[in-house]
Amino acid sequence: MKASTAAVLALSLATATQAVRAQDTAALMSETRKTATPVLPKVVQAMQTAVQEQGPVAAISICKEQAPQLLQEMRQQTGWAIRRVSLKARNATTGTPDAWEARQLAEFNIQAANGAELQHLEVGEIVVTDNGQRQFRYMKALPAIAVCQTCHGPADSLPPELRAALAKDYPHDRATGYVAGEIRGALSVTRPL
Ligand code: HEC
């Protein structure tokens, strides 16, 4: 076979492999989105009701207990790793991103700064871990909409009793200072393949 023919063949094989991967990724993405994201508007709704009806201090339990509980149930149902992460975590133990997540969060921030529609920012990718395991990784941005700023807005805008309650539980809180149009964090899903 002539070298040029071999090169063309190699190229078309690579393109075919890429096309299969793109198809895989699209299917995994849509399944992951369908399974993992319906919980998000439910949490926002619960948060809005709690802030309105019980005030911000009582509403802390939505972000602190209810949201993690719903994700825990989903982890049990699916066997996937599902969590919330942020570049400026309030709960550093559970919310600190790994390298892949931190890169996607930075990319979301760039897209947000360029006027992307925050509600639709998401990413999905098949990755191979250091020990050779294939995974599908998915992230969806969580925009800092108005209600989030009650507890994640500029620190001096938070009512004193709320600031005191947060300082007690989170002495190393980095999750304040957010304004509308920014990304608070993301829902992150890792599926072994
Ligand atoms: C009533 C106060 C309150 C409101 C309102 C609130 N949060 Fe939170 N948020 C918290 C607390 C407290 C934590 C830490 C939870 C924990 O210990 O796991 C937190 C944690 C998070 C985390 C996990 C990462 C981290 O920083 O630890 C994300 C993501 C998040 N909030 C997003 C949001 C979004 C998006 C909104 C608006 C829809 C919102 N929050 C509204 C109090 C609040």
Side-chain angles (χ1 to χ4, degrees), residues 11 32 83 119 140 152:
L11 192 67
T32 308
R83 64 186 193 130
Q119 296 294 346
K140 179 167 175 60
H152 296 292

Side-chain angles (χ1 to χ4, degrees), residues 39 67-75 82-84 187:
V39 72
Q69 174 63 35
L70 289 169
L71 297 188
Q72 168 65 14
E73 284 164 17
M74 221 180 344
R75 279 196 292 272
I82 308 174
R83 64 186 193 130
R84 298 178 302 172
L187 179 76

Side-chain angles (χ1 to χ4, degrees), residues 44 47 51 56 59-60 63-64 68 84-86 88-91 94-95 142-143 145 147-148 150-152 162 166 170 175 184-186:
V44 172
M47 183 57 92
V51 168
I60 285 177
C63 237
K64 185 176 177 181
R84 298 178 302 172
V85 289
S86 172
K88 296 199 300 166
R90 175 156 285 164
N91 186 334
T94 54
L142 304 172
I145 57 171
V147 69
C148 316
T150 313
C151 294
H152 296 292
L162 175 66
L166 291 173
Y170 307 98
R184 168 68 264 272

Side-chain angles (χ1 to χ4, degrees), residues 55-131:
V57 174
I60 285 177
S61 69
I62 307 287
C63 237
K64 185 176 177 181
E65 276 127 35
Q66 192 167 325
Q69 174 63 35
L70 289 169
L71 297 188
Q72 168 65 14
E73 284 164 17
M74 221 180 344
R75 279 196 292 272
Q76 276 162 354
Q77 281 160 17
T78 58
W80 307 341
I82 308 174
R83 64 186 193 130
R84 298 178 302 172
V85 289
S86 172
L87 290 174
K88 296 199 300 166
R90 175 156 285 164
N91 186 334
T93 312
T94 54
T96 301
D98 66 20
W100 187 87
E101 290 165 333
R103 255 202 322 276
Q104 311 311 323
L105 284 164
E107 179 59 30
F108 286 161
N109 283 345
I110 292 169
Q111 294 188 40
N114 282 298
E117 261 193 78
L118 305 189
Q119 296 294 346
H120 300 125
L121 278 183
E122 61 173 4
V123 62
E125 199 184 332
I126 295 173
V127 302
V128 181
T129 63
D130 287 344
N131 52 18

